[in-house]
Amino acid sequence: LVELGYSMKCSKALITMGLVNQELINNTQDKLETKIAPIVPDGLYGSADFSITLINRMEPTSIKKNLKPDKVHGLGKTSVSWHKDSGLQDFSSIAVYHMIQSLENGNGDNDPWKVALRVANPDDRVTPALCVPLPSGSLYYLLDDFNHHHEHAVISGSDDLRYSSTHRVARDGSGTWQFIRDKSQTILSLDLCRSLSEGRVEVLDSYNSISKQKNLVKEVRSFQQLMTDLEFEWIRLWHIQGQHHADIHPYWHKPIENMKKWYLQLKGVCNQICNALKEASVKESLIVSEDLFDVMIEATENRSKLRVAFDQRLQDKVFSTLSNDMRPIPSGIFNDEGIPSSDELRTWRSKFMSKKNGEVPKAPSSLNGNNKMSKISSMTKKEKKKVASNWQRMQSTMKKA
């Protein structure tokens, strides 16, 4: 760990957590064998091979004034609202260690921290929720399929800090660095991606049949999905945690830089695709299809919505309570330079479809006017299907009336 750049203090803490994790694996496995195996068919139960640990620090109601109350069961203010843990192997167990640190400036109520449990089925109106106060040093388990069928919440104490370490079995695949690294390298090694990255746009000329057009759509969709994954599942989440987090995790510096490089490479590739779409709106093209326009429009609008949501997240007042080195830092790569807007893509699509259908092309401004055909031509296939479906429902309603 020291050789990877971690400080001695941080290395010792990580090693200690590793030892705790192994101890909890052994404890949980013993409970599964003695308490779960005898009562389930064939003695089969989920994994307890914990591979991920989440450490939380939670403030009491005397400090955290804006905690929301549990409105359903009236159990108190929730530090963590009702949920199931997600992104885990199916039916895997969860172990949680919980520790309390007393504060001198409490409000004197001394309400304890509690863990609440309830059946996840919303139709279950019979089984009551359970709320259990936990003293410092408590260890509790969600064994086997418990997390699958139940939800849990953390009810805040009034005066004391709560620290917890939650040990889980992560789902193999999309949530790991190895997965996103291998996925990126696979996609970036495709001949289309490699050629466009090197400026060899003539590679697009090989997609000149219906079957090859379908392959082009499939590959461009994979480019777009990878760009979205890199931006919102990795790069933005790294920068939102601030400079202090980056400083104490030197191992991740190179992977994050690689992901930024891959993102920019994919952005350059998609710029080349957009150039082909623009060209196809004014002259004959053997490689561009309606589906290719739709992939680009849908991906562009999806990322735009995700960026708006992320910007709203950054407005959370909690960030102003953090020290400067723990506040979000800019990534510096997520701008729309060179990328056409979805409105531009729709305008090109409308022209492309008009030309394809032998219609007289309309001016771009007509998309904002009352020209019905231009508006329809700018819509994706999914949008047209949705409009048609809505019309069918309206007709059915009118007939019944």
Side-chain angles (χ1 to χ4, degrees):
L1 289 171
V2 173
E3 290 179 357
L4 289 174
Y6 288 95
S7 68
M8 184 60 70
K9 182 179 180 181
C10 188
S11 298
K12 288 180 178 179
L14 291 172
I15 291 171
T16 299
M17 286 308 304
L19 295 173
V20 170
N21 189 69
Q22 186 57 54
E23 185 68 19
L24 289 178
I25 289 175
N26 297 338
N27 289 355
T28 309
Q29 187 66 33
D30 178 67
K31 294 185 181 302
L32 288 169
E33 291 175 357
T34 58
K35 298 182 179 298
I36 301 300
I39 61 174
V40 296
D42 301 321
L44 298 176
Y45 50 78
S47 173
D49 189 14
F50 302 134
S51 57
I52 186 170
T53 303
L54 174 65
I55 300 176
N56 279 320
R57 177 186 182 274
M58 302 179 189
E59 295 177 333
T61 55
S62 59
I63 297 176
K64 197 87 169 177
K65 303 293 186 180
N66 60 345
L67 293 176
K68 296 181 180 179
D70 169 36
K71 295 182 179 180
V72 178
H73 307 285
L75 300 178
K77 292 190 175 181
T78 57
S79 187
V80 182
S81 58
W82 291 105
H83 70 287
K84 297 179 185 178
D85 286 1
S86 59
L88 310 180
Q89 285 189 23
D90 291 342
F91 309 117
S92 58
S93 293
I94 300 168
V96 184
Y97 177 73
H98 149 111
M99 188 193 79
I100 300 300
Q101 179 185 351
S102 297
L103 294 176
E104 296 180 358
N105 58 343
N107 58 21
D109 294 339
N110 203 25
D111 293 329
W113 286 86
K114 306 169 189 174
V115 171
L117 307 164
R118 71 180 183 187
V119 175
N121 183 0
D123 297 326
D124 187 332
R125 310 268 177 161
V126 178
T127 309
L130 182 66
C131 191
V132 183
L134 295 176
S136 184
S138 295
L139 179 62
Y140 58 95
Y141 305 87
L142 308 181
L143 296 175
D144 195 42
D145 63 352
F146 190 92
N147 183 62
H148 185 76
H149 297 296
H150 299 78
E151 293 178 330
H152 56 282
V154 178
I155 309 301
S156 179
S158 59
D159 292 334
D160 303 326
L161 291 175
R162 177 185 189 256
Y163 292 90
S164 64
S165 178
T166 305
H167 300 253
R168 302 163 171 157
V169 185
R171 184 182 298 144
D172 294 334
S174 58
T176 66
W177 155 240
Q178 290 82 1
F179 177 85
I180 195 67
R181 177 198 63 195
D182 294 346
K183 180 179 179 181
S184 299
Q185 291 177 347
T186 297
I187 289 177
L188 290 167
S189 67
L190 293 174
D191 183 58
L192 174 63
C193 192
R194 191 173 60 252
S195 298
L196 290 178
S197 296
E198 296 171 356
R200 291 185 282 115
V201 295
E202 62 273 11
V203 69
L204 290 171
D205 295 336
S206 62
Y207 292 87
N208 55 5
S209 67
I210 293 178
S211 62
K212 290 181 178 179
Q213 285 179 359
K214 290 180 178 179
N215 287 336
L216 177 60
V217 170
K218 182 179 178 180
E219 291 183 11
V220 171
R221 182 178 286 113
S222 71
F223 301 164
Q224 291 291 331
Q225 185 57 55
L226 179 55
M227 287 179 69
T228 300
D229 290 345
L230 288 170
E231 178 173 350
F232 294 99
E233 299 296 329
W234 292 93
I235 303 173
R236 283 186 180 271
L237 295 186
W238 168 261
H239 286 88
I240 199 174
Q241 297 179 83
Q243 189 59 50
H244 176 72
H245 177 268
D247 290 342
I248 64 174
H249 291 288
Y251 167 80
W252 280 100
H253 293 182
K254 186 63 176 177
I256 295 297
E257 287 305 313
N258 281 335
M259 285 189 273
K260 288 183 178 181
K261 180 181 69 175
W262 298 335
Y263 179 90
L264 292 174
Q265 187 174 343
L266 288 165
K267 180 180 176 181
V269 168
C270 289
N271 283 348
Q272 300 282 13
I273 298 295
C274 288
N275 290 340
L277 296 179
K278 183 178 182 179
E279 186 175 323
S281 71
V282 295
K283 68 179 185 180
E284 196 71 28
S285 173
L286 298 177
I287 62 171
V288 171
S289 64
E290 186 177 2
D291 290 333
L292 186 58
F293 272 104
D294 290 357
V295 166
M296 293 299 298
I297 291 171
E298 289 166 1
T300 300
E301 293 186 346
N302 178 54
R303 266 199 301 279
S304 178
K305 291 177 182 178
L306 291 173
R307 286 176 178 176
V308 169
F310 201 89
D311 287 342
Q312 291 175 343
R313 180 180 179 183
L314 291 175
Q315 302 308 310
D316 194 310
K317 294 180 180 178
V318 70
F319 292 115
S320 64
T321 67
L322 302 176
S323 60
N324 289 335
D325 63 344
M326 292 186 178
R327 295 180 185 181
I329 52 180
S331 61
I333 65 170
F334 300 122
N335 59 64
D336 293 325
E337 183 179 352
I339 298 289
S341 66
S342 60
D343 287 342
E344 290 177 290
L345 290 169
R346 288 182 182 277
T347 297
W348 298 344
R349 188 191 196 282
S350 179
K351 289 183 175 182
F352 172 80
M353 292 304 297
S354 295
K355 183 161 53 62
K356 180 180 178 180
N357 296 330
E359 301 167 359
V360 177
K362 304 295 181 182
S365 59
S366 66
L367 294 182
N368 298 319
N370 297 317
N371 189 289
K372 185 175 180 181
M373 291 304 297
S374 293
K375 288 184 177 180
I376 292 175
S377 296
S378 71
M379 295 169 64
T380 66
K381 286 183 177 179
K382 288 182 181 179
E383 290 168 336
K384 292 176 185 176
K385 187 176 180 180
K386 184 177 180 180
V387 169
S389 178
N390 289 339
W391 172 238
Q392 290 172 354
R393 283 197 295 270
M394 289 177 61
Q395 286 180 314
S396 176
T397 302
M398 287 187 290
K399 286 180 181 178
K400 290 179 181 179

